Amino acid sequence: MFKRLFWIGVGVTIGVVTASKARAYVKAHTPAGARDFVFGHDTTNVAVSTLKGLYDEFQETRRAREAELNRQYIDNSR
C-alpha cells in the first residue's frame, strides 16, 4: 500500500514539474501575442497556474464521473 502511494506521489510530482517546465519553455520561446492568447495575460506564476489548471480539470472530471455513476445506480435501483 505504501509503495503504491509513494509511486503515485512520484508520478504526480513528475507530472507537475514536467507541465510547469513545458509551460515555462513555451512562455520563454513564443512571441508576446501568441503567449497571451494561449496562457492569458497573467504569466508570472506558471507553476501555480499549472497546478490550478490540473486541479480544476481533475475536479471537473470527478464531478462528471460522479454524476454518471449516480445516474447509473439510480436507474438500476428502480
Side-chain angles (χ1 to χ4, degrees):
M1 168 104 173
F2 291 111
K3 281 184 180 181
R4 286 184 184 170
L5 289 175
F6 171 77
W7 287 114
I8 288 172
V10 168
V12 167
T13 302
I14 289 172
V16 167
V17 169
T18 302
S20 178
K21 294 292 183 179
R23 284 189 69 163
Y25 177 82
V26 170
K27 178 185 163 198
H29 292 87
T30 56
R35 184 173 52 241
D36 288 344
F37 177 75
V38 173
F39 296 122
H41 296 290
D42 182 28
T43 58
T44 56
N45 295 322
V46 174
V48 173
S49 62
T50 300
L51 283 174
K52 184 181 180 315
L54 290 172
Y55 179 76
D56 291 343
E57 184 176 342
F58 171 77
Q59 289 296 328
E60 181 181 328
T61 304
R62 182 189 58 81
R63 285 185 190 110
R65 179 67 175 149
E66 185 177 335
E68 177 185 333
L69 289 173
N70 285 336
R71 281 192 307 275
Q72 177 184 356
Y73 288 120
I74 288 171
D75 289 343
N76 287 339
S77 66
R78 292 183 186 173

